[in-house]
Amino acid sequence: MSKPAVYPPSAEFVSKARVQGMEGYRALHEEAVNHPETFWGGVAEREIHWFEKWTKVVDWNPPDVKWFVGGKLNVSYNCLDRHLDTPRKNKAAILWEGEPGEQRAITYQELHRLVVRFASVLKSRGYKAGDRAIIYMPMIPEAVIAMLACTRLGVIHSVVFGGFSAEALKARIQDLGATAVITADGGYRRGKEIKLKPAVDEALLDCPDVRDCIVYRRTGSDTPMKEGRDNWWHTLDETASEDCPAVPLDSEHPLYVLYTSGTTGKPKGILHTTGGYLTYVTATMKWVFDLREEDTYWCSADIGWVTGHSYIVYGPLAAGATNVMYEGAPDYPAFDRWWRIVEKYKVSILYTSPTAIRALIRQGDQWPDAHDLSSLRLLGSVGEPINPAAWEWYHRVIGKGRCPIVDTWWQTETGGILIAPMPGAVPLKPGSGTLPMPGLVADIVDLNGFEVPPGKEGYLVLRRPWPSMARTIWGDPDRYKEQYWTKVPGAYFTGDAARCDEDGYYWILGRVDDVMNVSGHRLSTMEVESALVKHAAVAEAAVVGKPHEITGQAVCCFVTLKKGQHDHDALGKELRQWVAHEIGAFARPEEIRFTDALPKTRSGKIMRRLLREIVTNHTVAGDVTTLEDMSVITSLAAQQDED
Ligand code: WT7
């Protein structure tokens, strides 16, 4: 393999950066590895306002961990109140643009007022620390307001991505034991209204514990309301109070639960807590995004994913940033919508996904070229490995060769960015997340936990605790231990394969488990399989991720049918729609392949590994000695050749 290109930061970038040069990075990293308590204690003291100081920085009994033990703080206080006696008071916290084109600029003072009012509404309806609320909203400022209002009271929120179906929403409400749902009539995407309330109504048929459904009017379309349960946000706001102080909460108080796909059909509710999480996301805003007071920062993720939590809401607002927030699709009304936004708001930091970059590349350079992108100074990437060709385009066409790209590796479970360059310090290699954050000890190991030599592929594990790590899976601590802490003894198992090169740079190769990554969204093969076998015509289903030029992976389903006459074309369409209805439109399979049998081991386990090989390499070269019936593979591979 040829040696990859290396891009050191420019002298100009370094001279203004928060962390300058490799010496700067190494000093931080070494200090954090050698003296974690003083290092993280210092960060927490500098970055966060505490009502009461902690007595111990970290209490580590793997896999149980507590950070800033005994400390008391409030997240909404840190994101809002503490900025109000500084010059940030009248700084824009959110610059929002709706898809149809409306604009709202909300200052820190105004955001504070709106959050206090909504928190007072929740409080007056009896919600208090420890209660759970679901937030199911479009990308509008009220989604942020709802999140912060919950944190003001200590209500544990769980944001459900607006693209999830009623079924998926219901499962999350029930698992969490939520008693409130905060939603909107709908939002806009590609010029159409996407309704949300009907999915809530459907879900709530089976959620008797939900006492309140609060509906923000975004689109104004006809929305039936259920007497006694549903209320309009604006009606409740009429009697809201502007006196609703932030509640001091324990550092380990649960902040939110975010559901993500695991290797079974049931999503995992990843629990993050307060003090360590906020400290870590605030610190990484500065280390990775080199955030300065005058930056205009735009993370294009949706609030429903962890990227939106950590790097639209909590990190940026705690750090006092100006956040651009956009409601709709990147290609509406035309392919230059994003570049219009960058030009209009003079965005200086843009954080997005490789899928979005590849989709934009396909439309041609004329779209970005028609706009003034000179305000940009730093670019970011997250969610999946970025292929070097997409990296080079992002660097050349969007960054004009001036802007470093921070390729940030992390997970829902890690809460914050763990492997990424500090842009004024670390020379970049396209496709590599480069080096670990301060104090993080990442290793590449085999299944016995032994380190593999540089250049060799292995499992990525993390050996030390970090402040924003997940604490458990909501309601299922055993699954948490089993999934993350037993595969390699004493280490956190990431589920990713990776290799480390001779410079210590990490190259993430992708998941090693039955988890797909479609457009940077995590999806479990089992979740899609469970959805498919619920359909009356389906006997068995096996689902694998298939390489896809734009979305990284696409969902490919192998299906055997129950006896009877079937029209494969019509049924294929119906099953794709079925999965979208069961899980959400983003999970809609790219392909349904009907087959007479699935490859299985003698004990009856479906060998997804072989199906992955078929969709990737169009043939099977790997070990098939455990396969029960070889003819299955021959016929599947033959079917592939006909495609
Ligand atoms: C999985 C986590 C982190 C927020 C968005 C996704 C993959 C994530 C990168 C990257 C290569 C990446 C990994 C990881 N991933 N970022 N920069 N390079 N792979 O969060 O849904 O929890 O998914 O996304 O496979 O395990 P998530």
Side-chain angles (χ1 to χ4, degrees):
M1 212 167 77
S2 64
K3 251 190 144 22
V6 179
Y7 295 77
S10 69
E12 216 238 310
F13 195 97
V14 177
S15 70
K16 295 184 191 148
R18 284 181 177 269
V19 182
Q20 306 189 340
M22 281 302 278
E23 320 73 60
Y25 163 73
R26 280 203 197 98
L28 277 174
H29 189 50
E30 271 156 36
E31 161 80 9
V33 169
N34 297 329
H35 309 287
E37 306 240 340
T38 43
F39 180 82
W40 289 113
V43 174
E45 210 150 353
R46 276 192 305 278
E47 302 297 341
I48 301 301
H49 170 275
W50 300 84
F51 293 121
E52 258 174 64
K53 204 183 154 175
W54 59 88
T55 51
K56 193 169 186 222
V57 171
V58 55
D59 195 352
W60 176 226
N61 296 304
D64 296 323
V65 73
K66 290 194 178 92
W67 280 90
F68 309 113
V69 182
K72 298 261 185 302
L73 74 161
N74 182 284
V75 167
S76 100
Y77 187 94
N78 273 280
C79 291
L80 301 166
D81 305 52
R82 66 161 162 163
H83 300 316
L84 301 187
D85 51 13
T86 76
R88 284 181 188 149
K89 174 169 145 179
N90 290 314
K91 176 179 178 175
I94 297 177
L95 296 171
W96 177 79
E97 189 166 295
E99 196 189 67
E102 319 92 305
Q103 287 180 52
R104 288 166 74 186
I106 305 175
T107 63
Y108 273 93
Q109 181 168 248
E110 177 65 358
L111 188 62
H112 174 263
R113 201 176 68 85
L114 296 170
V115 167
V116 166
R117 292 183 72 89
F118 192 63
S120 84
V121 166
L122 293 175
K123 190 174 167 181
S124 71
R125 304 187 77 76
Y127 294 96
K128 54 179 193 316
D131 292 345
R132 277 88 61 202
I134 292 280
I135 298 174
Y136 184 63
M137 295 189 95
M139 281 289 286
I140 55 175
E142 279 66 25
V144 180
I145 293 167
M147 290 166 81
L148 289 169
C150 287
T151 71
R152 199 162 186 85
L153 304 175
V155 171
I156 306 165
H157 67 63
S158 185
V159 182
V160 176
F161 172 54
F164 275 113
S165 67
E167 280 297 315
L169 177 63
K170 176 171 88 185
R172 285 156 176 75
I173 297 171
Q174 289 175 342
D175 186 76
L176 192 65
T179 49
V181 174
I182 304 162
T183 187
D185 45 3
Y188 292 103
R189 189 128 185 128
R190 296 216 166 83
K192 288 202 198 81
E193 184 193 2
I194 306 286
K195 285 188 186 282
L196 291 171
K197 181 66 168 36
V200 175
D201 288 337
E202 193 183 328
L204 290 186
L205 291 175
D206 296 319
C207 301
D209 293 342
V210 172
R211 302 196 308 268
D212 274 290
C213 174
I214 303 178
V215 189
Y216 183 78
R217 181 175 280 162
R218 160 69 185 122
T219 61
S221 69
D222 196 26
T223 301
M225 300 288 274
K226 186 174 167 192
E227 187 73 37
R229 185 195 70 189
D230 301 352
N231 279 288
W232 289 105
W233 179 304
H234 59 263
T235 311
L236 298 176
D237 185 66
E238 285 166 13
T239 51
S241 157
E242 289 191 11
D243 178 21
C244 186
V247 177
L249 298 163
D250 191 87
S251 179
E252 283 299 328
H253 183 74
L255 176 62
Y256 66 79
V257 172
L258 185 59
Y259 286 87
T260 187
S261 296
T263 49
T264 69
K266 191 177 183 314
K268 310 183 267 199
I270 302 297
L271 176 73
H272 284 293
T273 60
T274 304
Y277 175 83
L278 194 65
T279 301
Y280 191 82
V281 297
T282 311
T284 46
M285 273 312 292
K286 300 184 177 178
W287 290 331
V288 179
F289 297 109
D290 189 45
L291 186 74
R292 291 207 293 262
E293 203 59 65
E294 64 275 23
D295 273 315
T296 303
Y297 166 88
W298 181 21
C299 167
S300 74
D302 191 280
I303 226 123
W305 309 108
V306 73
T307 309
H309 286 60
S310 301
Y311 297 108
I312 295 179
V313 185
Y314 297 118
L317 296 179
T322 293
N323 251 309
V324 171
M325 190 175 173
Y326 168 58
E327 178 186 35
D331 54 358
Y332 186 84
F335 292 110
D336 63 349
R337 183 64 183 267
W338 276 19
W339 315 124
R340 278 184 192 280
I341 292 174
V342 168
E343 181 172 19
K344 177 158 140 200
Y345 299 97
K346 310 241 174 327
V347 172
S348 57
I349 304 173
L350 173 65
Y351 188 31
T352 189
S353 70
T355 287
I357 295 165
R358 289 189 294 261
L360 292 161
I361 291 175
R362 176 178 269 196
Q363 304 309 324
D365 297 4
Q366 70 278 18
W367 299 101
D369 284 352
H371 295 276
D372 176 7
L373 307 181
S374 62
S375 56
L376 289 169
R377 68 178 193 92
L378 181 66
L379 303 172
S381 169
V382 62
E384 38 177 329
I386 179 164
N387 48 311
W391 195 102
E392 299 282 355
W393 182 87
Y394 196 27
H395 190 254
R396 180 170 49 81
V397 179
I398 306 306
K400 311 294 176 203
R402 272 183 305 106
C403 307
I405 297 177
V406 290
D407 176 357
T408 62
W409 176 87
W410 56 299
Q411 308 177 304
T412 304
E413 294 87 341
T414 71
I417 295 168
L418 293 192
I419 299 177
M422 294 190 188
V426 180
L428 309 173
K429 298 185 190 181
S432 169
T434 76
L435 302 174
M437 284 292 110
L440 192 82
V441 178
D443 272 336
I444 314 280
V445 301
D446 61 25
L447 259 192
N448 298 316
F450 294 115
E451 251 181 86
V452 304
K456 285 266 172 319
E457 204 175 300
Y459 301 98
L460 177 66
V461 299
L462 308 169
R463 300 235 182 240
R464 294 273 196 104
W466 64 98
S468 67
M469 64 199 284
R471 299 302 194 259
T472 190
I473 293 176
W474 181 264
D476 201 349
D478 292 341
R479 186 174 180 198
Y480 176 72
K481 290 197 179 110
E482 195 277 318
Q483 288 256 300
Y484 302 106
W485 296 96
T486 55
K487 307 232 157 69
V488 172
Y492 169 86
F493 187 79
T494 64
D496 276 340
R499 71 189 155 76
C500 193
D501 70 15
E502 60 286 359
D503 298 323
Y505 279 46
Y506 290 86
W507 299 77
I508 309 295
L509 303 165
R511 304 289 309 189
V512 295
D513 48 15
D514 291 324
V515 170
M516 298 173 284
N517 188 328
V518 179
S519 307
H521 300 321
R522 212 202 286 192
L523 198 60
S524 133
T525 54
M526 299 273 275
E527 242 172 305
V528 180
E529 288 166 8
S530 333
L532 285 167
V533 297
K534 274 199 210 163
H535 188 281
V538 174
E540 285 181 307
V543 172
V544 293
K546 164 184 169 172
H548 188 277
E549 207 187 322
I550 304 278
T551 59
Q553 284 191 316
V555 178
C556 181
C557 311
F558 293 84
V559 171
T560 65
L561 295 173
K562 293 188 182 147
K563 283 214 162 53
Q565 286 294 313
H566 299 289
D567 171 348
H568 282 187
D569 278 351
L571 191 56
K573 280 200 194 94
E574 188 179 322
L575 290 177
R576 293 176 66 237
Q577 182 50 33
W578 175 265
V579 173
H581 177 262
E582 288 289 309
I583 302 173
F586 71 98
R588 188 191 308 272
E590 159 108 346
E591 201 179 334
I592 305 273
R593 295 193 193 180
F594 296 102
T595 167
D596 294 333
L598 294 170
K600 290 192 189 154
T601 62
R602 277 167 210 117
S603 60
K605 260 186 86 178
I606 295 173
M607 296 177 79
R608 290 198 196 78
R609 173 174 64 80
L610 300 183
L611 297 172
R612 255 195 308 268
E613 261 191 79
I614 287 178
V615 298
T616 311
N617 305 330
H618 304 267
T619 171
V620 169
D623 181 17
V624 289
T625 46
T626 52
L627 182 69
E628 190 221 13
D629 176 6
M630 186 59 202
S631 68
V632 174
I633 287 300
T634 328
S635 81
L636 282 171
Q639 183 189 347
Q640 170 83 41
D641 290 338
E642 288 160 22
D643 289 348

